Amino acid sequence: MDITTMRIVATLASMACFIGIWVWAYRGRNKSRFDEAARLPFEQD
């Protein structure tokens, strides 16, 4: 395996991770958790 192939594999793996995180963040199932986390700075102790 030469360096170019390793760079291609690393780029594709990074892109797959980015897309996976993006899909996870925008799924409707996580909306309630993210809304709760967004309100945390405004809550009183």
Side-chain angles (χ1 to χ4, degrees):
M1 205 185 253
D2 64 339
I3 191 72
T4 303
T5 304
M6 290 172 39
R7 288 179 180 163
I8 291 170
V9 169
T11 300
L12 292 175
S14 297
M15 188 167 43
C17 287
F18 176 79
I19 291 171
I21 291 169
W22 186 80
V23 167
W24 172 79
Y26 283 98
R27 289 176 72 181
R29 188 173 71 182
N30 295 321
K31 183 172 177 17
S32 63
R33 273 195 287 170
F34 291 144
D35 287 342
E36 181 182 340
R39 289 189 300 269
L40 281 175
F42 303 110
E43 292 181 1
Q44 298 292 325
D45 287 334

